[in-house]
Amino acid sequence: MMSQSAGSVTVMGLGSMGQAMVRSLCASGTKVTVWNRSPEKAGAVVEFGAVRADTVGQALSAGEVIVLSLTDYPAMYDVLEPVAEHLAGKTIVNLSSDSPESTRKAGAWIRARGGRFLAGGVMADSDGVGSSAAYIFYSGPRDVFAACADALRPLGRPEYLGEDDGIAQLYYQAVLAMFLPGLLAFEQALAMIDRSGESIERFLPYAQRSMGDMADLYAAVAAMAATGGWRDIAHLRMMAAGAQHVVQTATAAGVDTALAHAVRTYWHRALTESERTGVPVSTFQLLRGETSSLNKPEYR
């Protein structure tokens, strides 16, 4: 498929993630060309062994595998649209974050201009890029993935999910849906401890112990979700009460309670619907948007 070596990669976008990608690629012996809207960031990665391109056109001409590490997909159009005539024969690997539908539209846009497209979601922070724990979701045509998988491997273990351009972002955003509220929840806990006059340092080991290894819990919750979620009214009553107590404790400590109220709302809604209909309704059903079917006698 490729007339040039897949060992030559261009990276566009040199924020902390882009710089980490360049560093990892250069360390693997890959020939790397870089471009960034702010030239000083491109200059900063030359020390890794990268070659700086002065224009987007030059960056595209340097190789066939073009890795984008931008804020979102609209930024891709800002960068590539003025030089769209240079996209023919190039493989655009967009590792930026956006919605699955935006990703599908971008794939069609690239192909309409003669290019190849692969979408990705990087499951590592900038410090973890290239580590043994790092992996990247990829989606798009299988032959495109196969042609550049080795070139991309220094960034993290490739996890190919399928031909649908949007599926990598679906999985990536689903993981973020877990991570972002979880991070805020931890900060909520720290705020409660701190505003109550307790030491964050003293609390930390207890927080770490309470989380432990979540793998078994995730497996159990996923198994329940496959059958409609946890629909035991006694459990819902206990969780709703616990969520209310968190709100009360946070309020008394004088910290922001918007997140705690949002969490409480779901448990309270599930319990209220269960008691109103006489049929257990799970929080998973609410999150799945099944409000129109809550009166049905069983989960479908």
Side-chain angles (χ1 to χ4, degrees):
M1 173 183 291
M2 297 185 178
S3 59
Q4 290 177 256
S5 170
S8 178
V9 176
T10 290
V11 177
M12 294 186 179
L14 298 173
S16 58
M17 183 64 76
Q19 291 187 35
M21 292 178 184
V22 173
R23 182 173 59 248
S24 186
L25 287 166
C26 287
S28 73
T30 302
K31 179 182 177 182
V32 182
T33 300
V34 299
W35 177 87
N36 192 73
R37 199 184 304 271
S38 303
E40 62 273 12
K41 288 187 177 180
V45 297
V46 170
E47 63 185 80
F48 303 144
V51 176
R52 184 175 68 182
D54 293 325
T55 67
V56 176
Q58 289 177 1
L60 287 173
S61 298
E64 293 188 38
V65 178
I66 315 297
V67 173
L68 304 184
S69 179
L70 305 170
T71 304
D72 51 24
Y73 271 58
M76 181 195 81
Y77 299 110
D78 290 342
V79 171
L80 297 183
E81 196 159 23
V83 292
E85 69 275 10
H86 294 289
L87 292 174
K90 306 299 179 181
T91 297
I92 305 300
V93 182
N94 199 332
L95 301 183
S96 312
S97 173
D98 215 303
S99 70
E101 187 55 33
S102 293
T103 305
R104 295 183 185 105
K105 291 178 180 178
W109 186 86
I110 293 292
R111 294 184 191 107
R113 287 149 184 81
R116 295 178 288 267
F117 182 78
L118 196 66
V122 182
M123 301 310 300
D125 59 19
S126 57
D127 291 335
V129 168
S131 70
S132 59
Y135 63 97
I136 301 178
F137 294 130
Y138 288 104
S139 59
R142 183 177 292 276
D143 61 336
V144 176
F145 170 74
C148 57
D150 287 341
L152 299 170
R153 198 174 299 278
L155 304 178
R157 186 176 70 257
E159 296 280 355
Y160 178 69
L161 298 177
E163 299 265 345
D164 174 6
D165 290 327
I167 195 170
Q169 280 299 314
L170 172 62
Y171 275 58
Y172 177 73
Q173 301 305 339
V175 172
L176 275 186
M178 296 160 46
F179 173 74
L180 295 177
L183 185 60
L184 282 175
F186 182 47
E187 291 183 319
Q188 169 97 74
L190 296 180
M192 291 165 62
I193 289 292
D194 186 53
R195 285 297 299 270
S196 298
E198 286 295 309
S199 164
I200 288 176
E201 291 74 16
R202 182 185 180 193
F203 174 70
L204 176 59
Y206 295 104
Q208 292 171 315
R209 188 192 305 174
S210 71
M211 295 301 290
D213 184 350
M214 301 291 286
D216 289 344
L217 176 60
Y218 282 174
V221 173
M224 286 187 289
T227 60
W230 199 329
R231 296 178 294 168
D232 177 88
I233 293 182
H235 168 77
L236 292 174
R237 190 172 290 114
M238 177 185 67
M239 298 298 278
Q244 176 62 25
H245 299 154
V246 171
V247 170
Q248 292 170 340
T249 303
T251 300
V255 304
D256 187 281
T257 59
L259 179 64
H261 272 293
V263 172
R264 174 199 170 278
T265 295
Y266 279 98
W267 293 108
H268 181 72
R269 281 177 60 196
L271 178 60
T272 299
E273 285 297 319
S274 297
E275 292 178 336
R276 182 180 69 83
T277 63
V279 178
V281 175
S282 70
T283 50
F284 175 73
Q285 286 176 281
L286 297 179
L287 289 164
R288 196 172 183 272
E290 294 186 51
T291 53
S292 63
S293 62
L294 290 181
N295 292 324
K296 292 185 178 181
E298 63 183 60
Y299 177 79
R300 300 288 185 188

